Amino acid sequence: MLQMAHVGIYVQDLEATTAFYKNVFGMHVLCENVMQEDDLIADLLCGEGTAVRVTKLITEKGKVSGSGDMLELLQVVNKQFGVSHGVVCSAGRAHCCFWVKGIRGFVARVVIHGGLQCTKIHTMDNGNLCCFVQDNERNWIELIEHRK
């Protein structure tokens, strides 16, 4: 059996991006602004002397089920140089997707909270509505409204 645990997004401003996902998608905080220092994974991926600040958010469905539907926001901090801009932690290299009800309302909230609408809301071949947006740090998000 396979189940998705979470999607991780590397960000520059952890607090502002946490607020974006809480305000736009109503996500719940599992842990907020937790500093992970002396982390072997951070050292391997982003270079020695790094620390990672993490906030984990979960959707209402994930909260009810107790697993999955989690978004992990990570801010990599080099103890000597500040927020990292390394290759592994560059923002915008992938996208996450949310199933939504009322896609137009979600697109409006994205824009109100500092994000961008990048495509028109369009009908896909399967009848679902789709729109690509970007969060406050320009990470890509796909919104899909199931229409069947």
Side-chain angles (χ1 to χ4, degrees):
M1 179 175 118
L2 177 69
Q3 180 180 353
M4 180 68 75
H6 70 264
V7 172
I9 300 176
Y10 292 91
V11 302
Q12 299 298 320
D13 187 333
L14 187 61
E15 289 78 14
T17 307
T18 297
F20 177 88
Y21 284 93
K22 287 167 56 177
N23 292 329
V24 173
F25 297 105
M27 297 187 83
H28 303 277
V29 174
L30 292 177
C31 69
E32 191 166 11
N33 198 18
V34 175
M35 182 66 84
Q36 298 177 337
E37 297 186 64
D38 301 320
D39 185 334
L40 177 62
I41 300 298
D43 285 348
L44 289 173
L45 294 177
C46 303
E48 279 196 48
T50 57
V52 179
R53 293 174 56 218
V54 177
T55 293
K56 294 182 180 181
L57 303 164
I58 197 162
T59 65
E60 186 64 35
K61 181 180 178 184
K63 187 177 176 185
V64 170
S65 71
S67 67
D69 274 6
M70 187 188 317
L71 186 63
E72 183 179 63
L73 302 176
L74 304 104
Q75 182 183 44
V76 177
V77 180
N78 182 294
K79 294 173 188 170
Q80 187 175 9
F81 301 110
V83 176
S84 175
H85 299 278
V87 173
V88 173
C89 50
S90 295
R93 296 190 56 120
H95 77 274
C96 60
C97 180
F98 292 102
W99 287 100
V100 299
K101 289 185 180 178
I103 194 167
R104 285 170 181 75
F106 276 97
V107 171
R109 285 200 298 278
V110 164
V111 173
I112 288 168
H113 291 285
L116 296 173
Q117 180 177 351
C118 300
T119 67
K120 293 188 276 186
I121 298 171
H122 63 278
T123 303
M124 300 187 311
D125 291 343
N126 63 6
N128 292 338
L129 296 178
C130 177
C131 184
F132 277 85
V133 297
Q134 290 179 333
D135 70 13
N136 60 306
E137 290 203 1
R138 305 307 175 244
N139 295 299
W140 288 90
I141 304 166
E142 181 179 9
L143 303 175
I144 297 177
E145 181 175 333
H146 187 68
R147 300 291 286 191
K148 291 186 179 184

